[in-house]
Amino acid sequence: MSVNQIEIPENVEVTIEGNKITVKGENGEIQRTLQSSAIDIQKKDNKLTLQSTTDRKKHRAELGTFTSHIQNMIKGSQENFEYVLKVVYSHFPIKMEVKQNKLYIKNFLGEKNPRVVELIGEKTEVEISDDEVIVRGPNKEAVAQTAAKIQEGTKIKGKDPRVFQDGMYVISRG
C-alpha cells in the first residue's frame, strides 16, 4: 500500500465530505470531486494523508494524480496560475475584447465574423495587451484549458501553415 502526505499551510482550510474536497484560502475557494474506490483521503491536524488500498500500478498512478490535484488546489487557493499567449500576425492586425466570459477575436486573417472562445471557470480572467494575452485564475485546470481553447480557436485551416503563421500561441506557463 502506497501513502502520500500533503502539508496544509496555516492560511488554508481543507474540508473533505465524501468524494468532495473543498480548499479555501486567501485567493478564494476551489471544489473538486475525486472519486476512487481504491484511494482513501484522511485529514489529521495539518496534514492530508492519501492512501491506496492496494499496491496495483493503476492505483499508485491514481494516488499520484490525486496528490497533484490537491497540491494544485492548495497552491491556487493562495495565488493565481498564469498562462501567457503571444499574439502573432503578419497579414491582418488581430483585435480582441472580453465580454461576458467570452473572448472575441476580431479581424483574424481578415475574417468578417469574430471567432469566439468561451472562458472556462468562474474566476478565470483574461488580460489583453497589444501582442500578449494573459490568462489568470486559481484553478490550474480551468486556466490551462482556457489557454488551450484560445490557441485552438486561432488555428488556421485550409492554408499553408508555413506561410500563414498568424495565431495565438502559449509561450509561458507560470
Side-chain angles (χ1 to χ4, degrees):
M1 294 194 312
S2 300
V3 176
N4 286 352
Q5 287 193 336
I6 301 171
E7 288 282 333
I8 302 171
E10 288 180 19
N11 55 352
V12 176
E13 182 185 323
V14 177
T15 56
I16 302 168
E17 297 170 4
N19 296 330
K20 188 176 181 181
I21 297 176
T22 306
V23 179
K24 291 180 188 174
E26 300 166 359
N27 200 24
E29 179 180 314
I30 302 169
Q31 292 183 347
R32 184 165 193 151
T33 303
L34 299 174
Q35 190 167 346
S36 174
S37 59
I39 307 296
D40 184 37
I41 303 171
Q42 298 293 323
K43 181 184 174 191
K44 205 176 232 186
D45 299 328
N46 248 12
K47 285 186 181 179
L48 278 177
T49 304
L50 290 86
Q51 184 174 2
S52 67
T53 54
T54 66
D55 209 21
R56 295 180 60 198
K57 186 177 181 179
K58 175 184 174 185
H59 297 146
R60 286 195 317 260
E62 239 175 28
L63 179 69
T65 302
F66 283 16
T67 303
S68 294
H69 284 319
I70 294 170
Q71 287 172 340
N72 287 336
M73 289 169 67
I74 290 171
K75 185 177 177 186
S77 71
Q78 295 175 311
E79 60 187 51
N80 281 334
F81 290 99
E82 182 176 284
Y83 275 52
V84 180
L85 291 95
K86 182 82 171 165
V87 179
V88 179
Y89 59 87
S90 58
H91 298 89
F92 299 95
I94 299 172
K95 296 179 181 100
M96 297 161 286
E97 68 176 327
V98 179
K99 283 185 190 172
Q100 300 171 349
N101 215 26
K102 291 182 182 178
L103 174 67
Y104 292 87
I105 304 162
K106 299 176 182 177
N107 200 35
F108 183 70
L109 294 177
E111 296 172 344
K112 292 189 186 285
N113 296 326
R115 294 188 179 197
V116 181
V117 177
E118 196 166 326
L119 306 182
I120 299 172
E122 298 170 356
K123 298 179 183 176
T124 305
E125 304 168 355
V126 174
E127 183 183 312
I128 301 168
S129 68
D130 290 340
D131 63 341
E132 281 187 347
V133 175
I134 300 169
V135 182
R136 284 191 189 97
N139 188 340
K140 184 175 186 174
E141 226 173 287
V143 171
Q145 284 296 318
T146 300
K149 281 182 88 172
I150 292 170
Q151 183 169 326
E152 187 68 27
T154 58
K155 195 171 184 177
I156 299 172
K157 297 172 187 142
K159 292 185 170 65
D160 189 353
R162 295 169 293 180
V163 176
F164 292 90
Q165 296 180 352
D166 300 29
M168 295 183 202
Y169 304 98
V170 175
I171 58 169
S172 169
R173 297 174 180 101

